[in-house]
Amino acid sequence: CNSLHIIFFPPQSHHASRTLLYKKTFVESFEETPLLVAVLTYMGYGILTIFGYLRDFLRDWKLEKCHLAREREEQKDFVPLYQDFENFYTRNLYMRIRDNWNRPIRSVPGAKMDLVERVTPDYNWTFEHTGKVLKDVINMGSYNYLGFAENTGTCADTASECTEKYGVGVCSTRQELGNIDKHEELEKLAARFLGVESSMVFGMGFATNSMNIPALMEKGCLILSDELNHASLVLGARLSGATIRVFKHNNMQSLEKLLRDAMVHGQPRTHRPWKKILILVEGIYSMEGSIVRLPEIIALKKKYKAYLYLDEAHSIGALGPRGRGVVDYFGLDPCDVDIMMGTFTKSFGAAGGYIGGKKELVDYLRLHSHSAVYATSMSPPITQQIITSMKCIMGEDGTTLGQERLCQLSENTTYFRRRLHEMGFIIYGNNDSPVVPLMLYMPAKIGAFGREMLKRNIGTVVVGFPATPIIESRARFCVSAAHTREMLDTCIRQKVKRKYKKYKTIIYLLF
């Protein structure tokens, strides 16, 4: 019940043919939830649910005040806007630990940040600011992988100059009066950076997925989606009207079975061939810290004549010797990926997203994507921020700063993961992934961990059900090139103190 599953393909194994696709060892670890911990976790959620029903009963009889919005008595004959039961989890479970999220920040979210202190007089239903500021909180939750989220330096200077020249917004779409020379400069630069024929940028990363997938797929098409794909990919697939089938996370046997069935049986009822088959995957999965098995997926894509849509939101700039994402990490040809998607919100310290690929593909999206036709174009200073940071990563700024940050991120990731593993913590994902999930399991530990770490001036992200499976609650650390070894050691030392501190109840133990 407490076994460690490591995805590892030695040359002598029965996976030898697939091993030839990898140029280096590919290792990921996912430890099964211990049986005792799983039982205690289910018991914890069960107790919370029982008390939740009890409190709802008291609220119905006006014995306890209900702070949530409710339907007015005079509207009782109308169809309700929402069902009370749908908010059961929010009322009785999430509200207990709500103070761990939505914390106001009043500084640059760099390696350290300043948080606005707040208190709650009614058990997390409402919050009040005390006027105090928590200074120099170590930021272990932002996706600032390369440390470009800063208000000093070349990026900030060029963005400031761009603001003076162009203003902060264009107030129009690209097809009307919102297309400026900076947008075209960024698209040409991004195409060179990705190694593709052409690229197109969008003002919002989420909309890059949710609005472009419907432009490419329609009824009669088939989408094969990884079960852990981001909500933007899921929404885009649903809006397209295409048939969606889900394969197990990073499981090539599951994907190949779906591809084979699609080839043999075709569309339901008519059994006609599918118009298109699109495989949807991510580069780094932000909740698991795992890296997509891209060489195997490309091999399957070619074998079954399917298309591949790769979301590199978390991997672009964070993986590969040149920082060019998971394609660079595996040393593959970018032309083997039909649609390369990514965002500028993480490694580039900006906002927005991109689509890269063949020129015909990009030209088609310029005319048919709702995100391109109807959405306001990217803000000029944000565009300049991306151009400057991308040139820095590529080394076209005349310095080695970009390469130094890439190396620092890799070193920090390896060091942080190794130290946590040596200390006995259960961590998920790939050894090279800067997303480091540390398992907490029990619901009470979600809130306890976040609060106790903040008391020690460390800002973390804690995640539980329904964002994760019910017995796989976790704290998610995001390592950055901006973190110093001293900062990482400070975080680790606090975990050691928490781990071995005596006379604490089980809900505070961090294993």
Side-chain angles (χ1 to χ4, degrees), residues 29-30 100 171 193 242 259 275 285 364 380 406 420 422:
S29 61
F30 297 93
N100 285 280
C171 305
F193 181 69
L259 284 167
K275 295 179 181 179
Y285 290 83
Y364 175 84
L406 290 170
L420 290 179
E422 289 173 352

Side-chain angles (χ1 to χ4, degrees), residues 220-233:
C221 298
L222 175 64
I223 294 177
L224 303 180
S225 177
D226 190 290
E227 65 179 346
L228 297 183
N229 275 342
H230 190 263
S232 59
L233 290 170

Side-chain angles (χ1 to χ4, degrees), residues 24-94:
K24 61 179 179 179
T25 305
F26 184 74
V27 181
E28 288 186 350
S29 61
F30 297 93
E31 185 168 341
E32 289 185 359
T33 305
L35 179 59
L36 176 61
V37 175
V39 171
L40 292 174
T41 301
Y42 280 121
M43 287 178 58
Y45 278 106
I47 292 171
L48 288 172
T49 302
I50 292 172
F51 275 90
Y53 279 114
L54 175 61
R55 298 187 72 175
D56 277 355
F57 174 79
L58 296 176
R59 292 179 184 124
D60 288 340
W61 285 89
K62 312 299 183 184
L63 298 176
E64 180 179 338
K65 184 178 180 180
C66 183
H67 299 271
L68 278 183
R70 310 187 77 176
E71 299 287 349
R72 290 186 295 178
E73 187 66 24
E74 55 267 31
Q75 292 179 321
K76 62 182 181 180
D77 294 329
F78 288 83
V79 176
L81 291 175
Y82 61 92
Q83 299 295 326
D84 284 343
F85 184 77
E86 292 176 0
N87 294 317
F88 179 86
Y89 183 88
T90 302
R91 286 195 304 271
N92 300 297
L93 283 84
Y94 169 75

Side-chain angles (χ1 to χ4, degrees), residues 169-180:
V170 292
C171 305
S172 182
T173 65
R174 292 284 299 275
Q175 291 193 358
E176 293 174 335
L177 297 175
N179 188 41
I180 62 175

